[in-house]
Amino acid sequence: MPKADRFVLKNAAIATMQTGGQPYGLIENGAIAVNGDRLDWVGVGADLPDEYHAWDSQDQGGRLVTPGLIDCHTHLVFGGNRATEFEMRLNGAGYEEIAKAGGGIISTVKATREASLDQLVHAALPRLDAFIAEGATIIEVKSGYGLNQETELNMLRAARKLAILRPVQIITSFLGAHATPAEYHGRDDAYIDEVCIPTLRAAHAQGLVDAVDGFCEGIAFSPAQIDRVFKVARDLDLPVKLHAEQLSHLGGTELATKYSALSADHLEYANERDASAMAKAGTVAVILPGAFYTLRETQMPPIEAFRKLNVPMAVATDANPGSSPLFSPLMAMNMACTLLRMTPEEALAGFTRNAALALGLRDAGMIASGMRADLAIWNVRQPAELAYRIGFNPLQKRIFGGAT
Ligand code: DI6
Ligand code: FE
């Protein structure tokens, strides 16, 4: 591969993911001029401008080139794991029995609180490496397993440190409103006022947070409680996103659109009215097939309504130790198609163009002049091959910021 300052990839099948033309924005026999950390030119190879002819170049032999994959929804930083409850569940234990045995989110909170910053980073690195091995270049990482100020801030510091230790961009979301910790049992409002909001302010003051998220659900927080957190996010000029309508219809999506949320996520129980509000607000639908699969959910998100109303759909792993222990973007794409009937083009757009939108990024997720030089080169020829195979990784090379 040419050195990392400027070079041309030629004879490639380029899935630009731009809209309005060919499916996938596909350019056959294409060329891409990479200049530092930006893309200078993209098009049919025969049209490559003279100024690039002297640049280093490498023939891709017809391989598929896509934007680097973007996972816009992960809980990648956490302590411990939940294999025990997985086994208990499959041995017939019910949700209550598991909870009584200390399972669920609370068990991860305990393990995360007990971990040092370095231990949180060390535990997350192999999970991050799995994403990088599948061509990921940008990954969102949430807090939400600390539920006290010290550990929430540690989670966000760990997320920031991952981007120092690996060639990847990490975008952080504060998810203090994920669950009420044991010490505030039955006192959700007090937790929001005494821990969640002060911690959000501290995280913002320390430059640790890029967006604010919440879990709006019967087992978590009401729209009114999320609204209190989002009001502070707005005061701090932070964008918001929301886990909404995952297990029931509570009205979280509607609330999120009132804040022009970057995204509403899960959405199994969202309806056409929610989709219409999302379309008006420019809120991206983030589809999370890993949780649908792990929880053996049967309620499908309103994919057809999102299509009809032109709500952009992202797809993400929701990588977390409980409801979605999925650390493979390619597997998530396959699940989005096979379980949720998205098309392979929608699944790839979900991990590129629309994932960038869900993170508020304007210069990522597509292959076009001026965009970041984040690319993935695959040992396949058709874009549909990425979602088609189950548990097979055809990545040949990942380019992050122009460097291989
Ligand atoms: N929705 C979920 O499915 C996860 N969090 C959330 O907001 C559950 C996370 C876990 O099971 O640890
Ligand atoms: Fe999640």
Side-chain angles (χ1 to χ4, degrees), residues 73 75 142 243 266 288 318 320:
H73 184 133
H75 306 251
K142 305 174 190 294
H243 290 63
H266 284 290
L288 301 172
D318 191 16
N320 76 63

Side-chain angles (χ1 to χ4, degrees), residues 265-287:
D265 302 37
H266 284 290
L267 300 172
E268 282 84 342
Y269 288 82
N271 56 36
E272 183 131 356
R273 179 188 159 104
D274 296 319
S276 174
M278 292 171 74
K280 289 190 185 78
T283 297
V284 175
V286 178
I287 306 301

